[in-house]
mmCIF file of all heavy atoms in Angstrom:
data_model
loop_
_atom_site.group_PDB
_atom_site.id
_atom_site.type_symbol
_atom_site.label_atom_id
_atom_site.label_comp_id
_atom_site.label_asym_id
_atom_site.label_seq_id
_atom_site.Cartn_x
_atom_site.Cartn_y
_atom_site.Cartn_z
ATOM 1 N N ALA C 420 -2.257 17.651 3.751
ATOM 2 C CA ALA C 420 -1.033 18.413 3.870
ATOM 3 C C ALA C 420 -0.301 18.142 5.141
ATOM 4 O O ALA C 420 -0.936 17.740 6.175
ATOM 5 C CB ALA C 420 -1.347 19.908 3.840
ATOM 6 N N ASP C 421 1.037 18.235 5.100
ATOM 7 C CA ASP C 421 1.859 17.938 6.341
ATOM 8 C C ASP C 421 1.859 19.083 7.262
ATOM 9 O O ASP C 421 2.207 18.905 8.425
ATOM 10 C CB ASP C 421 3.252 17.598 5.901
ATOM 11 C CG ASP C 421 3.311 16.330 5.039
ATOM 12 O OD1 ASP C 421 2.467 15.442 5.219
ATOM 13 O OD2 ASP C 421 4.221 16.224 4.163
ATOM 14 N N SER C 422 1.660 20.310 6.738
ATOM 15 C CA SER C 422 1.753 21.471 7.631
ATOM 16 C C SER C 422 0.794 22.520 7.121
ATOM 17 O O SER C 422 0.322 22.463 5.933
ATOM 18 C CB SER C 422 3.182 21.990 7.619
ATOM 19 O OG SER C 422 3.469 22.404 6.330
ATOM 20 N N VAL C 423 0.627 23.552 7.918
ATOM 21 C CA VAL C 423 -0.280 24.686 7.520
ATOM 22 C C VAL C 423 0.408 25.382 6.345
ATOM 23 O O VAL C 423 -0.300 25.820 5.388
ATOM 24 C CB VAL C 423 -0.464 25.647 8.731
ATOM 25 C CG1 VAL C 423 -1.346 26.836 8.276
ATOM 26 C CG2 VAL C 423 -1.123 24.864 9.866
ATOM 27 N N ALA C 424 1.722 25.492 6.360
ATOM 28 C CA ALA C 424 2.408 26.142 5.233
ATOM 29 C C ALA C 424 2.189 25.420 3.953
ATOM 30 O O ALA C 424 2.018 26.022 2.851
ATOM 31 C CB ALA C 424 3.919 26.275 5.546
ATOM 32 N N MET C 425 2.102 24.116 4.029
ATOM 33 C CA MET C 425 1.889 23.308 2.820
ATOM 34 C C MET C 425 0.483 23.561 2.261
ATOM 35 O O MET C 425 0.286 23.578 1.070
ATOM 36 C CB MET C 425 2.085 21.863 3.176
ATOM 37 C CG MET C 425 2.234 20.965 1.968
ATOM 38 S SD MET C 425 2.306 19.274 2.565
ATOM 39 C CE MET C 425 3.238 18.530 1.231
ATOM 40 N N ILE C 426 -0.483 23.695 3.209
ATOM 41 C CA ILE C 426 -1.844 23.964 2.715
ATOM 42 C C ILE C 426 -1.894 25.274 1.938
ATOM 43 O O ILE C 426 -2.418 25.337 0.828
ATOM 44 C CB ILE C 426 -2.824 24.135 3.957
ATOM 45 C CG1 ILE C 426 -2.852 22.866 4.729
ATOM 46 C CG2 ILE C 426 -4.256 24.524 3.461
ATOM 47 C CD1 ILE C 426 -3.608 22.988 6.083
ATOM 48 N N GLN C 427 -1.142 26.280 2.482
ATOM 49 C CA GLN C 427 -1.103 27.581 1.855
ATOM 50 C C GLN C 427 -0.446 27.472 0.449
ATOM 51 O O GLN C 427 -0.979 27.952 -0.529
ATOM 52 C CB GLN C 427 -0.311 28.527 2.755
ATOM 53 C CG GLN C 427 -0.478 29.985 2.381
ATOM 54 C CD GLN C 427 0.364 30.843 3.287
ATOM 55 O OE1 GLN C 427 0.967 30.381 4.297
ATOM 56 N NE2 GLN C 427 0.496 32.095 2.956
ATOM 57 N N GLU C 428 0.624 26.737 0.378
ATOM 58 C CA GLU C 428 1.395 26.555 -0.828
ATOM 59 C C GLU C 428 0.525 25.911 -1.827
ATOM 60 O O GLU C 428 0.464 26.212 -3.019
ATOM 61 C CB GLU C 428 2.629 25.721 -0.557
ATOM 62 C CG GLU C 428 3.528 25.656 -1.805
ATOM 63 C CD GLU C 428 4.669 24.652 -1.631
ATOM 64 O OE1 GLU C 428 4.713 23.991 -0.603
ATOM 65 O OE2 GLU C 428 5.499 24.586 -2.575
ATOM 66 N N TYR C 429 -0.277 24.892 -1.379
ATOM 67 C CA TYR C 429 -1.132 24.121 -2.281
ATOM 68 C C TYR C 429 -2.237 24.982 -2.894
ATOM 69 O O TYR C 429 -2.527 24.949 -4.104
ATOM 70 C CB TYR C 429 -1.662 22.896 -1.515
ATOM 71 C CG TYR C 429 -2.089 21.762 -2.476
ATOM 72 C CD1 TYR C 429 -1.266 20.701 -2.658
ATOM 73 C CD2 TYR C 429 -3.333 21.823 -3.109
ATOM 74 C CE1 TYR C 429 -1.669 19.669 -3.560
ATOM 75 C CE2 TYR C 429 -3.702 20.797 -4.002
ATOM 76 C CZ TYR C 429 -2.887 19.693 -4.182
ATOM 77 O OH TYR C 429 -3.283 18.702 -5.040
ATOM 78 N N ILE C 430 -2.863 25.749 -1.965
ATOM 79 C CA ILE C 430 -3.993 26.517 -2.435
ATOM 80 C C ILE C 430 -3.553 27.627 -3.412
ATOM 81 O O ILE C 430 -4.129 27.869 -4.451
ATOM 82 C CB ILE C 430 -4.786 27.124 -1.238
ATOM 83 C CG1 ILE C 430 -5.409 25.930 -0.504
ATOM 84 C CG2 ILE C 430 -5.853 28.071 -1.696
ATOM 85 C CD1 ILE C 430 -5.947 26.301 0.879
ATOM 86 N N VAL C 431 -2.462 28.286 -3.042
ATOM 87 C CA VAL C 431 -1.875 29.318 -3.906
ATOM 88 C C VAL C 431 -1.520 28.663 -5.277
ATOM 89 O O VAL C 431 -1.766 29.209 -6.378
ATOM 90 C CB VAL C 431 -0.634 29.963 -3.299
ATOM 91 C CG1 VAL C 431 0.109 30.848 -4.264
ATOM 92 C CG2 VAL C 431 -1.046 30.777 -2.096
ATOM 93 N N GLY C 432 -0.911 27.500 -5.206
ATOM 94 C CA GLY C 432 -0.523 26.795 -6.490
ATOM 95 C C GLY C 432 -1.735 26.473 -7.304
ATOM 96 O O GLY C 432 -1.653 26.545 -8.532
ATOM 97 N N MET C 433 -2.804 26.099 -6.641
ATOM 98 C CA MET C 433 -4.026 25.736 -7.416
ATOM 99 C C MET C 433 -4.605 26.953 -8.179
ATOM 100 O O MET C 433 -5.234 26.779 -9.236
ATOM 101 C CB MET C 433 -5.137 25.204 -6.453
ATOM 102 C CG MET C 433 -5.024 23.763 -6.186
ATOM 103 S SD MET C 433 -6.535 23.092 -5.571
ATOM 104 C CE MET C 433 -7.139 24.187 -4.341
ATOM 105 N N CYS C 434 -4.379 28.080 -7.545
ATOM 106 C CA CYS C 434 -5.048 29.266 -8.143
ATOM 107 C C CYS C 434 -4.136 29.938 -9.183
ATOM 108 O O CYS C 434 -4.476 31.031 -9.612
ATOM 109 C CB CYS C 434 -5.322 30.313 -6.980
ATOM 110 S SG CYS C 434 -6.450 29.616 -5.788
ATOM 111 N N ASN C 435 -3.042 29.333 -9.540
ATOM 112 C CA ASN C 435 -2.217 29.990 -10.579
ATOM 113 C C ASN C 435 -2.853 29.913 -11.978
ATOM 114 O O ASN C 435 -3.862 29.183 -12.110
ATOM 115 C CB ASN C 435 -0.783 29.461 -10.507
ATOM 116 C CG ASN C 435 -0.663 28.056 -11.094
ATOM 117 O OD1 ASN C 435 -1.499 27.555 -11.860
ATOM 118 N ND2 ASN C 435 0.346 27.349 -10.681
ATOM 119 N N SER C 436 -2.286 30.576 -12.857
ATOM 120 C CA SER C 436 -2.918 30.788 -14.211
ATOM 121 C C SER C 436 -3.082 29.421 -14.905
ATOM 122 O O SER C 436 -3.957 29.290 -15.787
ATOM 123 C CB SER C 436 -2.057 31.683 -15.063
ATOM 124 O OG SER C 436 -0.762 31.104 -15.140
ATOM 125 N N LEU C 437 -2.281 28.448 -14.540
ATOM 126 C CA LEU C 437 -2.354 27.143 -15.257
ATOM 127 C C LEU C 437 -3.531 26.335 -14.785
ATOM 128 O O LEU C 437 -3.614 25.093 -15.165
ATOM 129 C CB LEU C 437 -1.050 26.398 -15.059
ATOM 130 C CG LEU C 437 0.126 26.983 -15.844
ATOM 131 C CD1 LEU C 437 1.418 26.307 -15.473
ATOM 132 C CD2 LEU C 437 -0.121 26.947 -17.315
ATOM 133 N N ILE C 438 -4.380 26.873 -13.964
ATOM 134 C CA ILE C 438 -5.532 26.061 -13.480
ATOM 135 C C ILE C 438 -6.442 25.674 -14.727
ATOM 136 O O ILE C 438 -7.129 24.645 -14.667
ATOM 137 C CB ILE C 438 -6.347 26.766 -12.377
ATOM 138 C CG1 ILE C 438 -7.269 25.779 -11.689
ATOM 139 C CG2 ILE C 438 -7.108 27.974 -12.979
ATOM 140 C CD1 ILE C 438 -7.778 26.220 -10.397
ATOM 141 N N LEU C 439 -6.388 26.467 -15.795
ATOM 142 C CA LEU C 439 -7.185 26.175 -16.898
ATOM 143 C C LEU C 439 -6.467 25.280 -17.949
ATOM 144 O O LEU C 439 -7.021 24.938 -19.008
ATOM 145 C CB LEU C 439 -7.630 27.498 -17.571
ATOM 146 C CG LEU C 439 -8.524 28.370 -16.752
ATOM 147 C CD1 LEU C 439 -8.782 29.705 -17.433
ATOM 148 C CD2 LEU C 439 -9.796 27.669 -16.380
ATOM 149 N N SER C 440 -5.198 24.957 -17.670
ATOM 150 C CA SER C 440 -4.472 24.056 -18.551
ATOM 151 C C SER C 440 -4.971 22.646 -18.360
ATOM 152 O O SER C 440 -5.666 22.320 -17.384
ATOM 153 C CB SER C 440 -3.007 24.146 -18.310
ATOM 154 O OG SER C 440 -2.704 23.645 -16.994
ATOM 155 N N PHE C 441 -4.500 21.749 -19.241
ATOM 156 C CA PHE C 441 -4.899 20.363 -19.071
ATOM 157 C C PHE C 441 -3.961 19.681 -18.032
ATOM 158 O O PHE C 441 -2.770 19.836 -18.088
ATOM 159 C CB PHE C 441 -4.751 19.581 -20.426
ATOM 160 C CG PHE C 441 -5.438 18.293 -20.386
ATOM 161 C CD1 PHE C 441 -6.827 18.251 -20.462
ATOM 162 C CD2 PHE C 441 -4.696 17.069 -20.316
ATOM 163 C CE1 PHE C 441 -7.503 16.967 -20.415
ATOM 164 C CE2 PHE C 441 -5.384 15.830 -20.268
ATOM 165 C CZ PHE C 441 -6.783 15.788 -20.370
ATOM 166 N N PRO C 442 -4.495 19.016 -17.010
ATOM 167 C CA PRO C 442 -3.617 18.482 -15.960
ATOM 168 C C PRO C 442 -2.767 17.357 -16.487
ATOM 169 O O PRO C 442 -3.029 16.773 -17.498
ATOM 170 C CB PRO C 442 -4.577 17.952 -14.934
ATOM 171 C CG PRO C 442 -5.868 17.714 -15.634
ATOM 172 C CD PRO C 442 -5.893 18.716 -16.779
ATOM 173 N N ASN C 443 -1.717 17.033 -15.725
ATOM 174 C CA ASN C 443 -0.869 15.965 -16.075
ATOM 175 C C ASN C 443 -1.565 14.608 -15.743
ATOM 176 O O ASN C 443 -1.745 14.251 -14.654
ATOM 177 C CB ASN C 443 0.435 16.069 -15.276
ATOM 178 C CG ASN C 443 1.332 14.891 -15.482
ATOM 179 O OD1 ASN C 443 1.178 14.089 -16.428
ATOM 180 N ND2 ASN C 443 2.357 14.767 -14.648
ATOM 181 N N THR C 444 -1.965 13.929 -16.858
ATOM 182 C CA THR C 444 -2.660 12.618 -16.641
ATOM 183 C C THR C 444 -1.833 11.455 -17.103
ATOM 184 O O THR C 444 -2.394 10.378 -17.259
ATOM 185 C CB THR C 444 -3.980 12.640 -17.341
ATOM 186 O OG1 THR C 444 -3.777 12.919 -18.739
ATOM 187 C CG2 THR C 444 -4.973 13.643 -16.784
ATOM 188 N N SER C 445 -0.534 11.663 -17.317
ATOM 189 C CA SER C 445 0.238 10.540 -17.884
ATOM 190 C C SER C 445 0.316 9.364 -16.885
ATOM 191 O O SER C 445 0.538 9.590 -15.676
ATOM 192 C CB SER C 445 1.682 10.995 -18.211
ATOM 193 O OG SER C 445 2.350 11.327 -17.010
ATOM 194 N N GLY C 446 -0.052 8.223 -17.385
ATOM 195 C CA GLY C 446 0.013 6.984 -16.592
ATOM 196 C C GLY C 446 -1.220 6.744 -15.681
ATOM 197 O O GLY C 446 -1.198 5.817 -14.966
ATOM 198 N N ILE C 447 -2.171 7.626 -15.804
ATOM 199 C CA ILE C 447 -3.358 7.391 -14.845
ATOM 200 C C ILE C 447 -4.641 7.199 -15.662
ATOM 201 O O ILE C 447 -5.725 7.233 -15.039
ATOM 202 C CB ILE C 447 -3.512 8.549 -13.824
ATOM 203 C CG1 ILE C 447 -3.754 9.891 -14.544
ATOM 204 C CG2 ILE C 447 -2.374 8.576 -12.872
ATOM 205 C CD1 ILE C 447 -4.303 10.979 -13.562
ATOM 206 N N ASN C 448 -4.579 6.964 -16.917
ATOM 207 C CA ASN C 448 -5.818 6.722 -17.687
ATOM 208 C C ASN C 448 -6.635 5.534 -17.117
ATOM 209 O O ASN C 448 -7.831 5.618 -16.951
ATOM 210 C CB ASN C 448 -5.522 6.487 -19.207
ATOM 211 C CG ASN C 448 -5.023 7.781 -19.798
ATOM 212 O OD1 ASN C 448 -5.243 8.869 -19.309
ATOM 213 N ND2 ASN C 448 -4.252 7.681 -20.911
ATOM 214 N N ALA C 449 -5.940 4.432 -16.856
ATOM 215 C CA ALA C 449 -6.577 3.237 -16.304
ATOM 216 C C ALA C 449 -7.215 3.564 -14.919
ATOM 217 O O ALA C 449 -8.272 3.131 -14.620
ATOM 218 C CB ALA C 449 -5.600 2.106 -16.225
#
Side-chain angles (χ1 to χ4, degrees):
Chain C
D421 297 331
S422 63
V423 177
M425 195 184 205
I426 298 170
Q427 195 182 350
E428 187 189 3
Y429 202 98
I430 293 168
V431 170
M433 272 201 317
C434 298
N435 71 25
S436 58
L437 289 174
I438 195 162
L439 297 176
S440 65
F441 195 75
N443 175 13
T444 54
S445 66
I447 59 164
N448 291 338

